Amino acid sequence: MIAAAAQAVLYSHTHSSSSSSISFPLKYSHAHLRRHAQPVLFISRRLNSLNVRCCASQSNTINKNDYERQQRKAPDLNTLFNRFWKVAAPYWFSDDKVQARLQLAAVFALTLATTGISVGFNFLGRDFYNALANKDEEQFTKQLVYYLCGFAGGIPFFVLRDYAREILSLRWRSWMTSYYMQRYLSDRTFYKIQSQSIIDNPDQRIVDDLSSFTSTALAFSLTLFNAAVDLISFSNILYAIYPPLFVVLLLYSIGGTAISVFLGKGLVNLNFLQEKKEADFRYGLVRVRENAESIAFYGGEDNELQLLLQRFTSAFENLTQLLISSRNLEFFTSGYRYLIQILPAAVVAPMYFSGKIEFGVINQSVSAFNHILGDFSLIVYQFQAISAFSAVIDRLGEFDDVLDSSRSNSPSDPMEQINLTYSYVKESQVLDSNGSVPANTSLRLLDVENLTLKTPKNNSTLVKDLSLMINEKDHLLVMGPSGSGKTSLLRALAGLWSTGKGKITFYVEDGGDAQPATSSDVASLEVNSANINKEFGRPINSNSRSVFFLPQRPYMVLGTLRQQLLYPTWAEQAILTSDDTKPAGSLPFLTRAPNSENVGANRSMPIPTTDDLTQVLEDVRLGYILSRFKGLDSVYEWSSVLSLGEQQRLAFARLLLSKPKLVLLDESTSALDEINEAHLYEKINTAGITYISVGHRRTLYAYHGRVLRISTADAEIEQCNWHIESIDRGTLHNSLKL
């Protein structure tokens, strides 16, 4: 019985396809980014209009589930293979390919060793049972010792094989996570996916699907390799014992595979939909956590409960269908497994009864039969796992296609695209020929030429043929009714919306150590064109300190109060500074070097000291939060513990630290009282920052020299729907009284 137990353990190790996965704390970070996509883009020159999916009624949910099952077709084998190769291949040709291939070779070598050990135990088992049947005590004791020694020497190979596979799976997952996150967060792809609802739950695909893909892909690869070696090794043994038994095995396995495929053909779609619905339900719970205060103020607990139950019901119904399909498949596979326990013995028993073979050969034939049948019946035994893996491949392949298309998208008609340009301007002052500074010299910051802005989806016109120029200290107020396109204009300035036509030019500082120039050098100093960085797919210097965006609801990063203040200008330096204790042996591709572009842009601005941060909090009247939260290095969920007014003042502290030339404010003081609003505008004006404000309050007139009024566009009227007027200081006092 010891021998039988040993064989069972070794066989289960050899054919095991399960793989444990190590979970990283990424789910909330991805959901946090998706939830706060708009503030992230505003602050870093990438604005976002976050589209939140709404749940339908109970009956609509059921109809939608039926519609999804009917509409979505399972991918064919060729598509699945192409997607598998597209997702899996990059790592094995990456900068980590040497280590990856060496570790993979080691895993395959250990797998080959375990197969050899299994073959050895097959012959040991034969001799062991022969000695038992012949009542040869001496031979039995000898074979028992061999068995125990082989068991002790063989088990480490199985353990090391599984350990090496898991380590390689973890390394592969780590590289793919870094690779996909870089693609997801580059070229504003995360904004496009969320704002246009291109695919569902990208965070779930990065966290869960990548983990499942790497572990399962390695497990299946080793299973296939092991099956091939097993097939060669044990086919010779079985064929030598009794050729008809080998023929029975082939017919049995081929028939079983065909029936399994027929019974389980719907599992791929059901697994795909289950992944989606579970992720939707989990994201709904994350939204409740992030909006807890708003829901509590509204008293919306019952409504949220109903919406969450609808999402869970959708997942429950799909899972019910999945269980029914799995049950039907299990009826067949269970019978298929149990029948083989007696089939080989029944076939070779007549030879034993006639004395042609010994008793131990029956055990050897059963063992060889089980090995080969397991190799031939991989689809039968692993069909549910294969269908779930196919769904993972489909989801990751779809995600990969979206990431590729986002980077390769090019406008079909360049004449109908808004042209956004960043042009360099020297930092030096322009001097007259006698060396004096002209009194009327003002630095150009922004040009908007013949801008017609349209919505990306339905192509509705928001702004018609807008032209304006912003010079230093030329503060502009943008006003108009809700929905007229005020915030959308900021999106166009950030380069997020390119639907329409016209040209937008930002004049940003060169950053070089330029010398004072004479008036004869003005033409050469005005523009050094720097349009689009083709390699990275974004405007050069789009994260420079020359232009800054402040949204109505500031983005609160996951980190300390210090990191809140340093975001986004010194965000990378702050993260590196706070990460003093890096684990030994960390993977090189998980250690991201600071962006050289940003470092170059900020080389003239050293990272602010603790005294600088403390002072800027005092400047925006937030000094009291240092004592409330025990200093700059405390960590909280800042979007929850700070009021919206405090968050807006914190955003102005970031602005004062970064000292940009131009800032665009989208109702950035809407949660503040008039006294604090006036104080903050005075601070940024004193700091020499030029600002363009979007807002509705009449009190904003006091801080601006001109107002751009945008009215709701009428498709039937060709004339411009905007006009610019100067703010008359003489009548400003009377206007504020209204």
Side-chain angles (χ1 to χ4, degrees), residues 392-606:
V392 169
I393 294 173
D394 200 16
R395 288 174 61 78
L396 282 177
E398 184 181 49
F399 187 37
D400 201 273
D401 291 342
V402 169
L403 295 179
D404 283 347
S405 63
S406 178
R407 296 200 60 165
S408 62
N409 272 348
S410 58
S412 57
D413 184 4
M415 297 301 294
E416 288 298 311
Q417 294 290 118
I418 297 172
N419 180 22
L420 177 63
T421 304
Y422 285 78
S423 296
Y424 289 126
V425 176
K426 299 271 187 190
E427 293 184 10
S428 59
Q429 294 179 324
V430 178
L431 307 179
D432 282 338
S433 56
N434 60 3
S436 62
V437 179
N440 60 351
T441 298
S442 62
L443 183 66
R444 180 80 56 82
L445 299 178
L446 170 66
D447 271 342
V448 178
E449 304 174 45
N450 306 116
L451 174 65
T452 296
L453 178 62
K454 299 182 179 181
T455 57
K457 288 189 176 181
N458 53 19
N459 215 35
S460 299
T461 300
L462 297 175
V463 180
K464 297 179 180 178
D465 201 26
L466 172 65
S467 294
L468 61 86
M469 181 189 303
I470 301 294
N471 294 324
E472 194 172 22
K473 293 291 185 177
D474 184 12
H475 308 308
L476 178 69
L477 175 62
V478 182
M479 304 190 78
S482 296
S484 59
K486 303 184 299 298
T487 300
S488 299
L489 175 61
L490 298 188
R491 295 189 181 105
L493 293 177
L496 296 180
W497 280 19
S498 58
T499 309
K501 59 183 179 180
K503 184 178 181 180
I504 299 171
T505 304
F506 284 100
Y507 299 94
V508 298
E509 290 182 350
D510 188 0
D513 298 325
Q515 299 296 324
T518 64
S519 56
S520 60
D521 297 324
V522 171
S524 62
L525 295 178
E526 183 176 354
V527 176
N528 279 326
S529 182
N531 288 341
I532 298 296
N533 186 327
K534 297 298 183 182
E535 179 181 358
F536 294 98
R538 54 186 168 85
I540 294 177
N541 268 0
S542 64
N543 197 31
S544 72
R545 64 185 180 94
S546 294
V547 188
F548 206 94
F549 290 82
L550 245 63
Q552 182 178 9
R553 187 175 185 87
Y555 173 64
M556 297 287 106
V557 302
L558 299 173
T560 64
L561 182 58
R562 184 187 304 273
Q563 289 171 325
Q564 302 299 324
L565 292 167
L566 298 177
Y567 185 86
T569 309
W570 301 276
E572 292 181 342
Q573 293 95 318
I575 292 173
L576 291 173
T577 302
S578 64
D579 189 18
D580 293 330
T581 57
K582 293 184 179 179
S586 65
L587 301 176
F589 43 79
L590 294 182
T591 305
R592 182 172 178 266
N595 191 313
S596 58
E597 205 174 288
N598 295 342
V599 172
N602 299 323
R603 65 183 181 273
S604 61
M605 294 182 63

Side-chain angles (χ1 to χ4, degrees), residues 145-218:
V145 172
Y146 288 161
Y147 230 124
L148 293 176
C149 291
F151 190 73
I155 284 297
F157 285 91
F158 289 92
V159 174
L160 290 174
R161 179 201 63 183
D162 292 342
Y163 174 75
R165 183 188 65 195
E166 294 298 334
I167 288 294
L168 178 57
S169 172
L170 179 60
R171 190 181 187 99
W172 188 8
R173 179 200 173 181
S174 301
W175 185 90
M176 290 188 71
T177 299
S178 174
Y179 173 65
Y180 273 87
M181 285 198 299
Q182 287 179 30
R183 296 168 68 198
Y184 179 56
L185 293 173
S186 67
D187 195 29
R188 305 169 183 143
T189 302
F190 69 101
Y191 164 77
K192 297 173 187 176
I193 289 175
Q194 185 66 19
S195 62
Q196 300 175 30
S197 299
I198 299 174
I199 57 171
D200 64 276
N201 303 296
D203 47 302
Q204 184 254 5
R205 299 178 193 236
I206 293 174
V207 177
D208 292 336
D209 289 344
L210 281 180
S211 175
S212 177
F213 177 83
T214 54
S215 60
T216 310
L218 277 177

Side-chain angles (χ1 to χ4, degrees), residues 52-68:
V52 179
R53 293 185 302 258
C54 296
C55 293
S57 64
Q58 177 69 23
S59 60
N60 288 339
T61 302
I62 296 173
N63 292 335
K64 182 181 178 183
N65 293 341
D66 294 338
Y67 176 79
E68 285 177 335

